[in-house]
Amino acid sequence: MALYSEKVMDHFRNPRNVGVIEDANGVGEVGNLKCGDIMKMYLKIENDVIEDVKFETFGCGSAIASSSMATELIKGQPVKKARELTNKAVAEALDGLPDYKMHCSVLAEEAIEAALDDYDKRQK
Ligand code: FES
């Protein structure tokens, strides 16, 4: 069996929603201390809905595929739904990640959480 699913390879080779949102109203950056990989997530939220999301990931293929899939999963969704996104759901949507690569999907969950926290802070 191949180490990575076709979906992982697809999102790694053709990542969706890569880039920066200049007028984002929620930005989150997280890093993995062990491998040094970094993920930055930009959200444009309007009326409590994720209107747009983009990411920059300086990291391994699994982290890039995870961020790409995570953006697809939350785009157009209510903020509440995006808050509930888990790394497990991201990995499942990718048809699985090898056990020792699961931490890469955690980065996506945490980056979205950090961006949503930033959004909340800006609302106050
Ligand atoms: Fe660092 Fe995948 S090895 S996020």
Side-chain angles (χ1 to χ4, degrees):
M1 201 190 103
L3 190 55
Y4 294 108
S5 72
E6 272 176 35
K7 271 196 192 165
V8 172
M9 293 311 292
D10 177 33
H11 278 263
F12 167 57
R13 292 197 179 112
N14 308 295
R16 283 50 148 192
N17 307 309
V18 175
V20 175
I21 300 176
E22 295 296 347
D23 61 343
N25 51 6
V27 180
E29 184 174 327
V30 293
N32 184 319
L33 288 180
K34 276 191 197 149
C35 61
D37 292 351
I38 296 170
M39 194 181 290
K40 197 164 181 181
M41 204 56 82
Y42 301 84
L43 300 175
K44 180 76 187 162
I45 299 172
E46 269 162 47
N47 300 322
D48 263 348
V49 171
I50 315 283
E51 291 293 342
D52 199 10
V53 48
K54 291 209 183 304
F55 77 91
E56 293 176 305
T57 292
F58 304 94
C60 73
S62 299
I64 291 168
S66 295
S67 16
S68 169
M69 180 55 88
T71 59
E72 290 274 274
L73 291 174
I74 66 165
K75 202 168 183 177
Q77 297 294 322
V79 167
K80 194 173 172 287
K81 216 62 202 293
R83 275 241 176 250
E84 288 165 2
L85 184 74
T86 62
N87 78 299
K88 231 181 129 219
V90 173
E92 267 166 25
L94 286 168
D95 290 339
L97 282 169
D99 277 354
Y100 67 96
K101 282 285 176 183
M102 278 305 280
H103 72 271
C104 315
S105 61
V106 173
L107 222 48
E109 179 187 326
E110 288 179 351
I112 290 172
E113 204 180 303
L116 289 170
D117 286 349
D118 180 51
Y119 169 74
D120 282 349
K121 234 187 281 160
R122 294 186 200 206
Q123 299 311 299
K124 285 175 191 154

